[in-house]
């Protein structure tokens, strides 16, 4: 979301650093093993994927038009990683649901309520 026009930004089960996700997520341990076996250290992976790291870019909407939704028990996107994006964006509205990464399926109604409420209140 670095180009206008963007009215609002809503990100669900988001990551701030894909390299961190691969290196620290219990779910991605086999991907990490492949990188390690190939001799690719974390620092190289982080440099290579830095271009897709959303913390590098400033969104084209104000903080009050950003909603981040994450899962408290997400084993794919660590809380450290999701907090990284939340902090980089200036700590916009954030909802942490009692679910894991599959919250998109498990918490559908909760997510819809949160998104609808946000969209109705954002100016």
């Amino acid at each position: 979301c670095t180009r206008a026009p963007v009215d609002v930004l809503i990100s669900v089960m988001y990551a701030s650093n894909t390299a961190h996700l691969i290196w620290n997520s219990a779910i991605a341990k086999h991907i990490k093993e492949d990188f390690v076996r190939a001799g690719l250290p974390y620092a190289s992976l982080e440099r290579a994927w830095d271009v897709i790291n959303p913390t590098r870019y400033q969104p084209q909407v104000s903080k009050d038009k950003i909603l981040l939704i994450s899962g408290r028990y997400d084993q794919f996107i660590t809380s450290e990683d999701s907090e990284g994006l939340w902090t980089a964006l200036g700590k916009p509205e954030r909802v942490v649901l009692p679910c894991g990464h599959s919250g998109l399926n498990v918490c559908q109604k909760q997510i819809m309520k949160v998104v609808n409420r946000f969209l109705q209140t954002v100016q």
Side-chain angles (χ1 to χ4, degrees):
C1 292
T2 59
R3 294 188 193 148
V6 175
D7 295 325
V8 298
L9 183 148
I10 299 172
S11 186
V12 181
M13 307 300 170
Y14 53 89
S16 67
N17 182 335
T18 307
H20 179 274
L21 180 154
I22 296 299
W23 224 256
N24 297 292
S25 166
I27 305 298
K29 67 182 177 184
H30 298 297
I31 300 169
K32 175 185 176 182
E33 289 170 2
D34 288 344
F35 283 131
V36 169
R37 200 170 17 260
L40 183 71
Y42 175 76
S44 295
L45 183 62
E46 191 171 43
R47 273 192 309 278
W49 285 352
D50 192 50
V51 70
I52 61 172
N53 183 335
T55 62
R56 291 187 59 206
Y57 307 98
Q58 288 299 310
Q60 298 299 306
V61 296
S62 62
K63 180 175 79 168
D64 62 326
K65 293 184 178 186
I66 298 174
L67 170 63
L68 302 177
I69 302 172
S70 60
R72 178 175 296 121
Y73 308 110
D74 194 332
Q75 292 184 17
F76 190 56
I77 310 295
T78 66
S79 59
E80 178 185 0
D81 194 25
S82 60
E83 289 230 359
L85 182 58
W86 179 60
T87 300
L89 295 176
K91 298 187 176 179
E93 184 171 347
R94 179 181 184 208
V95 175
V96 180
L97 297 174
C99 62
H101 199 73
S102 62
L104 289 170
N105 295 318
V106 177
C107 297
Q108 286 180 14
K109 289 182 182 177
Q110 286 176 285
I111 292 171
M112 286 188 308
K113 286 179 184 178
V114 168
V115 169
N116 283 332
R117 182 202 43 80
F118 179 75
L119 292 174
Q120 289 174 2
T121 61
V122 71
Q123 297 295 323

